[in-house]
Amino acid sequence: MADEELEALRKQRLTELQAKHGDPSGDPVQQEAKQRESEMRNSILAQVLDQAARARLSNLALVKPEKAKAVENYLIQMARFGQLGGKVSEQGLIEILEKVSQQTEKKTTVKFNRRKVLDSDEEDDD
């Protein structure tokens, strides 16, 4: 009896965690669609990038997933419109990364508000 209750609690907790984190494993159709899209993206990137460029992009995905996703989308779009002539080398990927970085760069400015304080040194000593 205790094992069955424990198993029921585990299943309930697993369901709660999946719902909380938005895990789509409850819907196999949605999960399969995501998997197909991922496979399609990977196959397009495999056709477009050489080995060194793919390695750099996967390293970038570990550190900055949102930037890697933007670069992947850019590469896939260029491939679909036929703007890529052959495979993109690592140097070509670096140039694309710089271009994407410039487009998504956040401009930060620091503004100092200096307060006017009366200081005894500033007074005239006449």
Side-chain angles (χ1 to χ4, degrees):
M1 277 301 243
D3 290 337
E4 292 173 4
E5 291 175 8
L6 184 61
E7 188 63 32
L9 285 172
R10 284 183 179 159
K11 285 182 181 180
Q12 181 183 4
R13 181 69 176 144
L14 180 63
T15 311
E16 289 173 4
L17 287 173
Q18 287 175 347
K20 184 177 180 180
H21 294 293
D23 191 16
S25 63
D27 188 7
V29 175
Q30 189 178 21
Q31 185 178 12
E32 185 178 326
K34 278 189 172 188
Q35 185 177 3
R36 268 187 281 138
E37 186 217 348
S38 175
E39 289 174 3
M40 188 175 69
R41 289 175 68 87
N42 287 336
S43 87
I44 291 172
L45 290 172
Q47 294 171 3
V48 173
L49 298 172
D50 68 358
Q51 277 306 108
R54 278 188 62 89
R56 182 175 287 271
L57 188 60
S58 63
N59 287 340
L60 178 69
L62 292 173
V63 179
K64 296 190 177 194
E66 63 280 346
K67 187 175 279 192
K69 197 74 155 172
V71 171
E72 287 175 0
N73 290 338
Y74 183 74
L75 286 167
I76 290 171
Q77 181 182 10
M78 286 178 68
R80 284 187 178 154
F81 292 123
Q83 296 174 343
L84 295 175
K87 288 194 170 199
V88 176
S89 66
E90 186 175 10
Q91 190 60 38
L93 181 67
I94 291 172
E95 292 171 7
I96 292 171
L97 282 169
E98 290 172 353
K99 190 182 299 185
V100 169
S101 292
Q102 288 175 354
Q103 291 173 355
T104 61
E105 185 177 305
K106 294 180 182 177
K107 303 285 184 192
T108 48
T109 57
V110 178
K111 184 176 180 181
F112 291 101
N113 290 327
R114 300 196 187 267
R115 296 182 182 156
K116 300 281 183 182
V117 178
L118 290 178
D119 191 11
S120 62
D121 292 342
E122 293 178 2
E123 294 176 8
D124 290 334
D125 292 330
D126 291 297

